[in-house]
Amino acid sequence: MFDSAAPVLNASLRAKCTAVGRELTPVMVIDDCLADPGSLVEFAALTKRNVEHQIETLHPVFKKESGSFYPGRRCPLPESFGLVLLQQLAPLLCNGFARGRDVQFEPLVANLSLADVKREHLRPIQSLPHFDDVRSDQLALVLYLFNGDLGGTGFYRHISTGFERITRPRLAEYAPKLKAEAMAHREILGRYMGRENALFAPTNYVEPAFNRAVIYPSNCLHSGVLNNAVDYSLCANGGRLTANMLILCNEV
């Protein structure tokens, strides 16, 4: 049985770090990441499929987050999940992101996330690439826990500014410009972000694969590239389920 508080990395995982875009943003992809990812999917489910009613149920603490732009529901993982996972990931993260610095990695947030918003109900900001924080000392991790063509992760350059990462000094220029551009290009709204559009050019795309993790600086422009032909539904064993973490990089 999977212990959600003590995840174990797969001994045969495969990790690759690539410099992406003009700004050479490091993006790490880890295949076969966890030793027992299927049991993490089971942790998300309150029960298995109800045979009589042919429905699936979720852990009861999956809910919409107020103030969050994530197009779905989230369930917090135990605090120890992030701590234990990062202890094991630390050598890979140091090689890929520390660049010779002595760094300790601290989990800020760890959730299970399930996309369930129909494209026509998206808010304008949910149709565009985003960044998680302007900090340069923070990473984001996404672990795919689904099969099928439900969407990977895209990385982007904002065409008019050339920005691929949004820092605090850049935000004052970027935010009002993007708002004006989005109002002038309303045709790109009301749908999930694709590989590119009139405002953003692609720098990289990571295909989804079960038990594949993607790690990147949280201030880079990115988006889940969800399939606009899919009616995303709220079911743990058939939907776009991911594990997500925000990671603080503390220099010591």
Side-chain angles (χ1 to χ4, degrees):
M1 187 67 177
F2 181 80
D3 183 354
S4 63
V8 177
L9 291 183
N10 189 343
S12 58
L13 63 77
R14 304 180 306 282
K16 181 179 180 181
C17 196
T18 304
V20 168
R22 295 173 184 169
E23 298 186 2
L24 302 179
T25 300
V27 174
M28 180 175 288
V29 176
I30 304 175
D31 283 315
D32 298 322
C33 184
L34 294 183
D36 189 10
S39 294
L40 185 53
V41 177
E42 290 298 319
F43 173 79
L46 174 63
T47 63
K48 292 189 176 181
R49 178 176 289 275
N50 183 311
V51 176
E52 180 181 356
H53 298 98
Q54 289 294 295
I55 59 173
E56 293 186 30
T57 57
L58 286 173
H59 195 290
V61 295
F62 265 94
K63 61 182 180 180
K64 302 283 186 182
E65 290 184 332
S66 60
S68 171
F69 296 118
Y70 178 73
R73 301 173 186 248
R74 282 179 163 153
C75 167
L77 286 164
E79 182 178 356
S80 54
F81 175 91
L83 290 169
V84 173
L85 186 60
L86 288 180
Q87 287 174 356
Q88 299 171 72
L89 284 174
L92 289 174
L93 298 181
C94 282
N95 287 337
F97 300 97
R99 299 180 181 178
R101 295 171 294 146
D102 190 5
V103 173
Q104 290 182 344
F105 301 97
E106 174 189 351
L108 298 176
V109 178
N111 292 307
L112 289 172
S113 305
L114 187 69
D116 72 332
V117 175
K118 294 184 178 182
R119 64 179 187 176
E120 58 267 28
H121 296 153
L122 290 173
R123 299 167 65 180
I125 197 170
Q126 293 173 319
S127 294
L128 299 169
H130 66 279
F131 60 96
D132 299 313
D133 201 292
V134 295
R135 300 179 63 147
S136 297
D137 59 351
Q138 188 171 286
L139 301 173
L141 179 150
V142 178
L143 174 68
Y144 304 127
L145 294 169
F146 60 89
N147 292 296
D149 184 19
L150 300 180
T153 303
F155 299 89
Y156 303 90
R157 176 186 310 112
H158 182 229
I159 294 171
S160 64
T161 61
F163 296 159
E164 297 172 0
R165 297 174 71 166
I166 306 302
T167 59
R168 190 171 301 280
R170 289 179 171 184
L171 184 60
E173 176 183 355
Y174 174 74
K177 184 165 288 190
L178 178 61
K179 181 177 181 179
E181 290 174 338
M183 293 178 65
H185 292 271
R186 293 183 179 276
E187 73 279 0
I188 68 175
L189 306 178
R191 56 183 289 109
Y192 283 107
M193 181 68 195
R195 302 288 185 95
E196 61 185 314
N197 63 25
L199 307 183
F200 293 91
T203 60
N204 194 36
Y205 176 69
V206 178
E207 295 279 356
F210 186 76
N211 203 22
R212 169 176 287 171
V214 188
I215 307 172
Y216 48 89
S218 64
N219 65 358
C220 71
L221 290 167
H222 62 279
S223 178
V225 184
L226 277 67
N227 188 336
N228 281 288
V230 173
D231 181 7
Y232 289 90
S233 58
L234 195 62
C235 54
N237 297 319
R240 191 181 186 275
L241 181 69
T242 60
N244 302 78
M245 288 180 60
L246 288 177
I247 304 162
L248 184 62
C249 307
N250 295 308
E251 290 198 47
V252 296

